[in-house]
Amino acid sequence: MRLRCTRFIGSHLTERLLKDNEVTVIDNESTGKIKNIRHLLDHKNMTVIKGSIVDLNLTEIFKEKDYVFQYAHKPDVTICDYESNRRNVLQGFSRTI
């Protein structure tokens, strides 16, 4: 499971993870674009969910996932917003284990 895969680090990590894993990515394209991972979109082990971690049912999405790599952030987001988003991710994942 990957959050925010369309920027530099996320796209490269996603590419590497796809070599040996099934990967689901979530990205709302607020700072990156899905076209940046165009070469990965047809990969048989890749699922893309376009949306915000604030609005999605993360518990449902995280079912049967072993790991979550969280890179979701924006430069103009306050630390409180970042912590709130991180908490949403961790709570969603913890409900599945």
Side-chain angles (χ1 to χ4, degrees), residues 16-45:
R16 173 58 187 95
L17 289 171
L18 280 171
K19 291 181 180 182
D20 305 315
N21 303 281
E22 292 182 11
V23 177
T24 300
V25 298
I26 300 172
D27 203 305
N28 67 0
E29 295 188 280
S30 62
T31 59
K33 297 295 176 199
I34 295 293
K35 70 180 183 179
N36 294 340
I37 57 164
R38 180 179 356 192
H39 63 291
L40 304 175
L41 294 177
D42 291 330
H43 196 287
K44 63 179 175 153
N45 291 336

Side-chain angles (χ1 to χ4, degrees), residues 71-89:
Y71 288 94
H73 76 285
K74 287 175 44 176
D76 60 341
V77 170
T78 67
I79 192 69
C80 292
D81 290 336
Y82 175 78
E83 287 300 317
S84 175
N85 290 344
R86 189 168 71 77
R87 190 172 34 258
N88 287 345
V89 170

Side-chain angles (χ1 to χ4, degrees), residues 34-65:
I34 295 293
K35 70 180 183 179
N36 294 340
I37 57 164
R38 180 179 356 192
H39 63 291
L40 304 175
L41 294 177
D42 291 330
H43 196 287
K44 63 179 175 153
N45 291 336
M46 173 87 139
T47 302
V48 176
I49 300 171
K50 205 169 159 186
S52 170
I53 61 173
V54 175
D55 302 323
L56 296 169
N57 181 345
L58 297 180
T59 302
E60 185 65 30
I61 293 169
F62 291 162
K63 280 184 181 175
E64 301 181 27
K65 305 295 187 247

